[in-house]
Amino acid sequence: HYGFVLALPATLLLAALFAGWAPRWLQRRGKSALVMQAAALALAAAAIFHHVRTTLSWVQRKQTPVAASPNQLHADKLRGTLVNEALAQIQARVPPTGTLLVLPEGVMLNFLAGRRSPTPFINFMPPELAFFGQDRLLEALRERPAELVALVHKDTSEYGFPLFGRDYGQEIMTYILASYVPVATLGNEPLAVANRFGIQLLERRH
């Protein structure tokens, strides 16, 4: 029940109600419908203008190209720069047939780098831990250990557990830190302080 998905049919329903159904109801009773229709259309125009302007402001922030064509996308300067650095290191450190594990989420790195994930689980956030159980996720990581791990900062406060490894997923993080050694930290140390983006790459201990 994601709000941004439900907002579209709800908006269309309101538009139909105040610009169509309600005015027709008034007309059947001999009353003018022009005022209600004009007000409804003016309100819709104002809402459209506001949302287009907001969308434009967000799009204008995303000027940094990430990855190469045909999979290129754009991001804000901070994240775009760090992701590009991470992709370069991933491709240098992991062979084309190697595996990359991104925690707690960020499978887009796998796609852009062309390196597969070692597990069938896409994310390791609170919903996945609730659905599958931490023990099952940890077992999958031990069965097929990745050659490289990328810890990507993600604030998951919306789930009631702000940071992976501190507020949830502690056993998985303990396993990662015991089995892998950091080789690069791009930007801020991830998953340490809220709202400070960074990526850390870790290679398997030998």
Side-chain angles (χ1 to χ4, degrees):
H1 299 289
Y2 280 94
F4 73 91
V5 175
L6 299 177
L8 175 58
T11 301
L12 293 176
L13 182 63
L14 287 174
L17 173 63
F18 290 108
W21 301 335
R24 285 198 295 270
W25 182 83
L26 290 174
Q27 285 178 330
R28 287 196 296 269
R29 283 155 179 77
K31 298 180 180 180
S32 175
L34 291 179
V35 174
M36 177 173 286
Q37 286 180 321
L41 292 175
L43 182 61
I48 291 171
F49 174 78
H50 169 72
H51 284 88
V52 169
R53 186 175 62 177
T54 301
T55 299
L56 180 61
S57 69
W58 280 104
V59 171
Q60 288 176 334
R61 300 179 191 181
K62 300 182 178 182
Q63 298 295 321
T64 302
V66 176
S69 181
N71 301 318
Q72 190 177 83
L73 52 88
H74 289 77
D76 63 81
K77 185 175 181 180
L78 171 63
R79 288 172 176 78
T81 300
L82 295 182
V83 169
N84 280 327
E85 292 177 6
L87 289 173
Q89 294 222 24
I90 290 168
Q91 291 171 332
R93 295 176 181 276
V94 183
T97 57
T99 56
L100 166 69
L101 173 67
V102 185
L103 297 172
E105 75 163 356
V107 72
M108 179 60 78
L109 282 178
N110 294 84
F111 176 75
L112 295 177
R115 303 300 187 267
R116 62 187 177 88
S117 174
T119 80
F121 304 105
I122 296 177
N123 295 327
F124 291 77
M125 297 202 302
E128 285 71 33
L129 268 70
F131 295 155
F132 304 111
Q134 184 168 204
D135 291 342
R136 185 177 174 187
L137 297 175
L138 185 55
E139 181 181 358
L141 298 181
R142 286 173 170 160
E143 285 181 355
R144 295 182 179 179
E147 295 180 46
L148 188 73
V149 172
L151 296 177
V152 180
H153 186 79
K154 173 68 176 180
D155 184 350
T156 48
S157 298
E158 61 191 289
Y159 299 107
F161 304 93
L163 296 175
F164 176 83
R166 188 194 73 181
D167 305 299
Y168 70 99
Q170 293 93 336
E171 293 180 22
I172 295 176
M173 182 64 88
T174 298
Y175 163 74
I176 294 298
L177 296 179
S179 306
Y180 294 81
V181 57
V183 293
T185 299
L186 310 174
N188 297 296
E189 182 182 352
L191 307 171
V193 180
N195 300 320
R196 297 185 64 183
F197 186 75
I199 301 173
Q200 188 174 67
L201 303 178
L202 304 93
E203 288 184 341
R204 288 185 65 190
R205 298 181 185 272
H206 297 291

